[in-house]
């Protein structure tokens, strides 16, 4: 196979799978990892793919465009429902405290809380707070601040002050993107600051994100892979990425 043919095949594979690793491409095409990296560099310059740590993702995977909650609510809905159900295994016992980051996947986790579980729940999400306010066993604390219309999340100095005084048992965190090199990332600096404070406030951090988020990188990193404990995602996660995350000590659950 000529280099041009291999590069075209790699570009098609990246588009199909969403993310490929240098090691997998090297094995599949019978070339060295150095050759694969040169191929990826060529494709990146052509705008056909984007190189990321250890591999490549589609060109459209690196974006600062942020969808609102209405658009995201119906995206990968079935996967998010399965993720939410699996994430319930990481709830603290009765009497414990749990923090819900703003987001459509975290909202599904909150909505699925067992009716008989008494918990202290903290959130900066207006929709999640509205949902949890009807749960008899939940003592709800709504974090205040400026509410971003696109995510309906409270952000800013007031939210950061409150989070700086908290210590919760478990935090369920959403993310726009996740890679080994860039960690958890999001496009907005105020959201990034709040998410970073949420991670710091929790004894255990559970990231809930569908597999399309993995392999993408957004503008601002708010947490490295060393800073969260569990990733609950769906079965679309590539085995190579699953193994790579596990090597960093992350418990990976696919639902």
């Amino acid at each position: 196979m000529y280099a041009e043919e291999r590069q075209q095949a790699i570009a098609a594979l990246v588009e199909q799978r969403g993310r490929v690793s240098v090691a997998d491409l090297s094995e599949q095409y019978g070339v060295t990892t150095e050759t694969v990296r040169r191929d990826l560099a060529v494709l990146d310059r052509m705008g056909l793919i984007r190189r990321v740590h250890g591999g490549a993702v589609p060109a459209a995977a690196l974006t600062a465009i942020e969808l609102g909650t209405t658009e995201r609510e119906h995206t990968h809905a079935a996967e998010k429902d399965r993720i939410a159900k699996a994430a319930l295994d990481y709830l603290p016992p009765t009497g414990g405290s749990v923090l819900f980051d703003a987001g459509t996947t975290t909202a599904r986790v909150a909505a699925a809380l067992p009716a008989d579980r008494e918990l202290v729940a903290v959130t900066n999400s207006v929709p999640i707070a509205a949902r949890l306010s009807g749960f008899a066993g939940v003592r709800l604390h709504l974090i205040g601040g400026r509410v971003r219309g696109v995510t309906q999340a409270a952000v800013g100095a007031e939210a950061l002050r409150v989070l700086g005084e908290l210590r919760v048992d478990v935090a369920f965190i959403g993310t726009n993107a996740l890679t080994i090199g860039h960690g958890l990332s999001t496009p907005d600096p105020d959201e990034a600051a709040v998410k970073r404070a949420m991670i710091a406030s929790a004894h255990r951090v559970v990231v809930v994100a569908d597999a399309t988020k993995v392999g993408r990188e957004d503008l601002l990193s708010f947490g490295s892979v060393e800073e969260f404990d569990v990733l609950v995602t769906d079965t679309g996660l590539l085995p190579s990425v699953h193994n790579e995350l596990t090597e960093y000590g992350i418990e990976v659950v696919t639902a």
Side-chain angles (χ1 to χ4, degrees), residues 28-113:
Q28 179 160 345
Y29 294 105
V31 294
T32 65
T33 55
E34 289 77 11
T35 297
V36 170
R37 291 190 179 93
R38 286 195 294 271
D39 287 341
L40 296 181
V42 170
L43 293 170
D44 188 280
R45 287 195 297 270
M46 294 171 65
L48 298 177
I49 59 99
R50 288 292 180 266
R51 297 175 69 187
V52 296
H53 178 76
V57 297
L62 300 177
T63 176
I65 298 174
E66 188 175 15
L67 297 178
T69 53
T70 302
E71 293 89 345
R72 290 184 289 119
E73 180 66 36
H74 303 291
T75 304
H76 306 291
E79 289 85 354
K80 291 176 180 178
D81 286 338
R82 296 199 305 271
I83 290 168
K85 184 177 180 180
L88 294 179
D89 289 341
Y90 296 93
L91 285 173
T94 293
S97 56
V98 58
L99 187 154
F100 292 102
D101 180 21
T104 55
T105 309
T106 50
R108 280 172 159 81
V109 180
L113 286 180

Side-chain angles (χ1 to χ4, degrees), residues 187-206:
D188 183 78
D190 290 331
E191 294 257 12
V194 167
K195 288 174 181 287
R196 193 174 296 118
M198 286 180 167
I199 289 173
S201 74
H203 288 293
R204 194 176 200 190
V205 177
V206 179

